[in-house]
């Protein structure tokens, strides 16, 4: 059943443990600074300080108003609200994800890496999800020098997870497996909002990005082949801190090749701002959740992507660790 609020449509799915939010064009109008589509690293950091490090001071009512405008549920947070004296501390908050972001026990499930707005697509031109050249250039995203990975993910599928500034900014591991590669591609600091995607060709592959390639076809893995997790900085995001923790947020570890990643654990932290994570999957290894695919093509919902790209393309708002897909069996009747 659909229910309508002032800015968004909410879809309650009885058969699942999550509620999905479809974002309209008006939903982009959040209380954060408007700037040009890209800036250099230094100026991006300065904007980040102005927006996120300027103290609230002793104005308690101002802090409470800020938290209320961002729709942040303080009951999820590990820290007391009294510790949130800057916007940065709010956006880098830690939550009780083991309670408020439950995860399926299914070993073949792929989970969302973030509290984010998601879009699904395919690099295979015969797929109904074909979106080549809309958000990123494939070779540019992974790096033109990474020939093995370019061959491995050719004609595969992808998920774009877009974090808006008010979101919980930890990325979690979407699958379980062994890290086969970890590297950084330099780039700019373009905005990642829909307007920038529509007006600026392939911004995601032009921004600074960190790539983690995970082999899931190992003992204890999710068995969905190779998965590339591409973490992309955006406007006012100065850094991506790698801090993998197997239990809550304890004993954080940097990424390194050969380490085993458990699914659903905190992996990294985006410094404040809007950010994006792209997941790449090998061809014919995953099946995305049916309800999420149905949302993607809703022609009755307005979105800035649909308006700018001339075809229905709608984001769904989901929580970190919620199921977004499963391992595709050899005789799976679903076909993208």
């Amino acid at each position: 059943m659909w229910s309508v609020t002032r800015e968004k449509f909410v879809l309650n799915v009885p058969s699942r443990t999550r509620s999905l939010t479809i974002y309209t064009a008006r939903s982009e109008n959040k209380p954060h600074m408007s700037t040009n589509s890209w800036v250099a690293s230094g100026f991006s950091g300065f904007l980040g300080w102005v927006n996120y490090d300027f103290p609230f001071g002793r104005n308690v009512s101002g802090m409470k108003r800020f938290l209320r405008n961002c729709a942040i549920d303080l009951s999820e947070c590990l820290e007391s609200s009294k510790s949130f004296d800057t916007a940065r501390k709010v956006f880098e908050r830690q939550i009780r994800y083991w309670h408020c972001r439950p995860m399926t026990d299914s070993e073949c499930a792929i989970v969302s890496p973030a509290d984010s707005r998601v879009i699904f697509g395919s690099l295979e031109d015969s797929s109904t999800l074909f979106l080549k050249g809309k958000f990123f250039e494939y070779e540019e995203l992974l790096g033109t020098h990474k020939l093995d990975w370019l061959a491995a993910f050719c004609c595969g599928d992808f998920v774009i997870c877009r974090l808006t500034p008010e979101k919980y900014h930890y990325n979690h591991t979407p699958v379980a497996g062994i890290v086969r590669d970890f590297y950084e591609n330099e780039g700019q600091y373009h905005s990642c909002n829909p307007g920038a995607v529509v007006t600026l060709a392939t911004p995601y592959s032009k921004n600074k990005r960190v790539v983690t390639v995970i082999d899931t076809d190992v003992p204890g893995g999710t068995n969905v082949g190779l998965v590339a997790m591409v973490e992309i900085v955006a406007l006012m995001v100065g850094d991506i801190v790698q801090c993998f923790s197997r239990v809550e947020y304890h004993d954080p570890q940097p990424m390194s090749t050969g380490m085993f990643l458990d699914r659903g654990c905190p992996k990294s932290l985006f410094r404040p701002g809007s950010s994006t994570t792209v997941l790449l999957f090998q061809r014919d290894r995953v099946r995305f959740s049916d309800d999420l695919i149905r949302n993607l093509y809703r022609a009755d919902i307005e979105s800035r992507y649909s308006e700018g790209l001339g075809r229905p393309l709608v984001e769904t708002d989901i929580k970190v660790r919620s199921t977004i897909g499963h391992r595709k069996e050899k005789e799976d009747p679903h076909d993208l």
Side-chain angles (χ1 to χ4, degrees):
M1 177 182 296
W2 291 92
S3 59
V4 182
T5 66
R6 186 169 64 90
E7 289 190 343
K8 56 193 176 185
F9 297 89
V10 179
L11 170 62
N12 295 314
V13 186
S15 62
R16 306 179 73 128
T17 59
R18 65 176 182 223
S19 107
L20 308 177
T21 304
I22 306 299
Y23 271 82
T24 68
R26 287 184 296 171
S27 302
E28 286 300 319
N29 298 322
K30 293 295 183 181
H32 59 85
M33 188 174 184
S34 174
T35 65
N36 292 330
S37 62
W38 70 272
V39 293
S41 173
F43 189 55
S44 179
F46 171 73
L47 290 176
W49 183 88
V50 171
N51 274 262
Y52 303 121
D53 291 310
F54 197 81
F56 291 125
R58 297 182 179 180
N59 190 347
V60 176
S61 63
M63 179 187 69
K64 289 182 177 179
R65 183 169 58 252
F66 175 83
L67 295 172
R68 184 172 60 252
N69 288 340
C70 290
I72 292 171
D73 184 355
L74 294 176
S75 68
E76 298 179 345
C77 301
L78 285 176
E79 299 291 332
S80 165
S81 61
K82 295 180 180 179
S83 67
F84 297 144
D85 56 358
T86 66
R88 177 180 295 275
K89 291 182 180 179
V90 174
F91 296 143
E92 294 184 5
R93 64 193 180 276
Q94 295 178 342
I95 63 173
R96 298 179 179 85
Y97 66 84
W98 50 94
H99 291 310
C100 61
R101 301 291 188 275
M103 184 175 67
T104 178
D105 292 330
S106 174
E107 296 180 356
C108 66
I110 303 153
V111 300
S112 173
D115 281 3
S116 56
R117 306 173 185 180
V118 299
I119 281 179
F120 300 83
S122 174
L123 299 171
E124 172 57 58
D125 57 10
S126 64
S127 170
T128 58
L129 295 180
F130 181 59
L131 288 171
K132 184 178 181 181
K134 299 297 185 183
F135 297 89
F136 56 82
E137 289 295 343
Y138 169 64
E139 294 83 1
E140 192 175 51
L141 182 72
L142 286 176
T144 56
H145 60 297
K146 292 292 184 176
L147 300 182
D148 288 346
W149 305 140
L150 290 173
F153 294 104
C154 181
C155 298
D157 303 306
F158 63 85
V159 182
I160 296 173
C161 305
R162 186 169 67 90
L163 288 76
T164 48
E166 79 283 358
K167 300 287 190 187
Y168 166 65
H169 267 56
Y170 275 86
N171 272 316
H172 288 235
T173 44
V175 292
I178 292 176
V179 176
R180 295 303 186 195
D181 202 357
F182 176 75
Y183 60 95
E184 183 176 299
N185 287 326
E186 291 297 329
Q188 298 292 335
Y189 288 74
H190 297 283
S191 171
C192 286
N193 68 36
V197 171
V198 170
T199 60
L200 177 68
T202 62
Y204 295 157
S205 55
K206 291 177 171 55
N207 282 19
K208 178 180 177 181
R209 54 212 178 276
V210 174
V211 182
T212 307
V213 179
I214 307 168
D215 182 359
T216 70
D217 290 337
V218 297
T222 311
N223 292 309
V224 292
L226 294 171
V227 177
M229 185 173 181
V230 186
E231 297 162 311
I232 304 167
V233 304
L235 197 63
M236 294 180 285
V237 176
D239 199 8
I240 306 172
V241 180
Q242 300 296 322
C243 49
F244 176 74
S245 298
R246 285 189 170 83
V247 180
E248 300 180 5
Y249 299 94
H250 302 322
D251 191 26
Q253 301 293 318
M255 284 293 104
S256 62
T257 56
M259 69 186 298
F260 187 90
L261 304 179
D262 296 301
R263 186 188 59 180
C265 297
K267 175 189 179 291
S268 59
L269 171 64
F270 278 123
R271 292 304 187 187
S274 57
S275 318
T276 300
T277 297
V278 175
L279 304 179
L280 294 176
F281 300 93
Q282 292 183 284
R283 184 179 182 181
D284 293 330
R285 294 302 304 265
V286 301
R287 175 174 60 85
F288 297 133
S289 299
D290 293 337
D291 55 351
L292 297 175
I293 299 302
R294 285 194 300 270
N295 289 347
L296 187 65
Y297 296 125
R298 289 189 62 94
D300 58 328
I301 303 296
E302 294 180 1
S303 82
R304 291 174 67 181
Y305 288 132
S306 300
E307 295 169 0
L309 301 177
R311 57 171 289 188
L313 196 62
V314 180
E315 295 176 303
T316 302
D317 191 42
I318 62 175
K319 299 296 187 182
V320 66
R321 296 177 16 120
S322 60
T323 301
I324 60 174
H326 290 84
R327 178 174 64 237
K328 192 173 185 179
E329 304 299 341
K330 292 183 179 179
E331 297 184 1
D332 197 319
H334 294 78
D335 187 12
L336 298 180

